[in-house]
Amino acid sequence: VVSRFRVGSPRRRLILALVVIGAVLLGLIGRVAYLQTTEAESLRSAAADQWTRSVTIPAQRGTVFDRHGAELAMSVPAVTVSINPKLIDNGPATVQVLDDLLELPDEKVAELVAEIAAKDRGFVFVQRQADADIGDEIAAMKLPGVNVDRESRREMPGGDTGRSVIGRTNIDGIGISGLEIQYDDLLTGTGGEMRREVAPGGRSIPGSETVTAQPVAGDDLVLTLDRSVQYSTEQVLLEQVAAIGAKGATAIAMETDTGEIYSMASVRRDDETGAYEVTSGNFAAVDAYEPGSVAKVITIASSLSEGLVTPETSYVVPWRKQYYDDLLKDSHEHPDEVMSVAQIL
């Protein structure tokens, strides 16, 4: 008897081929189903990462007001201009356009030309906190490899008024001194997020920006300072220290019934230039000062009040005297003097 399924039979080979093809098709269907279900989210995310970029939208920093609502420190719109040297073909021409609009230093112009020629890096800052209107002009040109991103710039509308107390922020808008650092968490908002599509090579596609999360502005800060009183205090100090050739001066104007501070100012002389300026440090709050003879007012007032002395009571005053372990000295050496309370004061 001869078998119908002997080796080499066309029928057997056909059935075997159909079984193999069926198994491959089932495997493909199973793989597709797996990718569209279990792996779907990770694949979509990976694909999005290839052709989109996520950009943080900085939040508006809170404004610092005086007691009457006048701005002492505020954030204004600005831009960051940067380049991708790898995407720029005509480097000198591109740098010339940026230089004309941003008025770059010669050193920066030379650096940018060299970076574009080398094409080693994909990101180089051109200018931080540039004027927003100039940034709009640059963005409208759609120069290859040139990016314009929104940010903010911290400004004090009153110039240096209140600088000692308010402090300042760094170029990234983070408080680094004064009230700007003390209340940084309150003033700093929550950044948003924007996604934009990119073409091969990393160039952004205009009009593809999509805001996925709106930024939340920081809270405002209202001080007890009065901007007019603060300005007047600073001007008086600047005039007086210059008139007497002092190293510096500090003054505080306070409502004694409530403890509210109307002005708190510190000025110092620059040792190099000799010019006097309002300081960035709040010396009124942190400086140590030995009162010296000022303490006499308290001692003598108490003695007069208790009837222990009169203005005519006299004492022998040496230039120094031992009190237990301390040898207290006058400001200068002098012979013993007989002085009345009034003269001592």
Side-chain angles (χ1 to χ4, degrees), residues 81 91-110 112-113 126-127 134 138 143:
V81 181
T94 300
V95 174
Q96 184 62 55
V97 171
L98 297 176
D99 184 23
D100 291 341
L101 292 171
L102 297 172
E103 298 181 356
L104 302 173
D106 293 340
E107 297 80 7
K108 189 65 179 179
V109 171
L112 295 176
V113 171
V126 176
Q127 191 174 97
I134 295 178
I138 296 174
L143 301 172

Side-chain angles (χ1 to χ4, degrees), residues 256-329:
T256 56
D257 289 339
T258 63
E260 294 182 353
I261 304 296
Y262 288 128
S263 68
M264 179 180 285
S266 298
V267 300
R268 286 290 187 274
R269 181 182 60 209
D270 189 306
D271 291 334
E272 294 183 1
T273 65
Y276 292 97
E277 60 184 7
V278 178
T279 65
S280 58
N282 190 3
F283 293 110
V286 302
D287 235 11
Y289 178 76
E290 186 176 346
S293 292
V294 177
K296 294 177 187 178
V297 177
I298 302 171
T299 306
I300 293 178
S302 300
S303 300
L304 290 170
S305 177
E306 294 298 320
L308 300 177
V309 300
T310 68
E312 293 75 28
T313 302
S314 62
Y315 292 91
V316 176
V317 181
W319 84 276
R320 63 180 180 181
K321 188 173 182 179
Q322 187 80 32
Y323 290 91
Y324 299 96
D325 295 332
D326 295 323
L327 180 62
L328 302 186
K329 301 178 181 179

Side-chain angles (χ1 to χ4, degrees), residues 21-260:
I21 293 172
V24 171
L25 290 176
L26 286 175
L28 291 174
I29 292 172
R31 180 61 178 170
V32 170
Y34 174 75
L35 294 177
Q36 290 185 340
T37 54
T38 305
E39 290 291 313
E41 187 59 36
S42 63
L43 290 174
R44 277 194 293 268
S45 177
D49 289 340
Q50 289 181 347
W51 53 269
T52 63
R53 295 291 183 270
S54 180
V55 180
T56 299
I57 305 175
Q60 182 80 1
R61 188 173 178 85
T63 300
V64 180
F65 295 98
D66 81 342
R67 65 189 304 114
H68 301 300
E71 295 93 344
L72 294 173
M74 60 187 297
S75 295
V76 298
V79 296
T80 288
V81 181
S82 62
I83 61 171
N84 183 344
K86 297 180 179 180
L87 301 179
I88 298 176
D89 294 325
N90 193 338
T94 300
V95 174
Q96 184 62 55
V97 171
L98 297 176
D99 184 23
D100 291 341
L101 292 171
L102 297 172
E103 298 181 356
L104 302 173
D106 293 340
E107 297 80 7
K108 189 65 179 179
V109 171
E111 175 194 342
L112 295 176
V113 171
E115 290 282 3
I116 295 173
K119 296 187 182 299
D120 292 330
R121 296 199 290 168
F123 179 88
V124 177
F125 276 121
V126 176
Q127 191 174 97
R128 295 288 308 274
Q129 298 187 347
D131 187 88
D133 292 336
I134 295 178
D136 291 339
E137 288 186 48
I138 296 174
M141 295 180 183
K142 298 180 180 180
L143 301 172
V146 178
N147 301 309
V148 178
D149 297 297
R150 295 287 176 183
E151 64 173 353
S152 60
R153 181 175 65 240
R154 200 66 166 169
E155 290 190 354
M156 296 178 64
D160 283 340
T161 303
R163 179 186 178 198
S164 303
V165 181
I166 297 167
R168 60 194 181 97
T169 61
N170 62 14
I171 197 169
D172 294 314
I174 300 173
I176 57 175
S177 67
L179 297 180
E180 290 279 17
I181 187 173
Q182 183 176 352
Y183 293 99
D184 189 60
D185 291 341
L186 182 147
L187 292 167
T188 302
T190 303
E193 184 180 62
M194 178 180 69
R195 294 187 73 84
R196 59 188 179 192
E197 298 179 10
V198 294
R203 181 183 177 187
S204 298
I205 299 176
S208 65
E209 297 84 359
T210 302
V211 177
T212 56
Q214 291 288 350
V216 179
D219 293 325
D220 296 331
L221 187 64
V222 181
L223 309 181
T224 63
L225 292 182
D226 184 310
R227 190 168 72 176
S228 296
V229 178
Q230 180 72 31
Y231 176 79
S232 298
T233 303
E234 292 171 353
Q235 295 308 304
V236 168
L237 288 182
L238 288 170
E239 293 173 7
Q240 185 64 12
V241 293
I244 66 176
K247 180 180 179 181
T250 297
I252 299 174
M254 181 178 69
E255 171 58 63
T256 56
D257 289 339
T258 63
E260 294 182 353

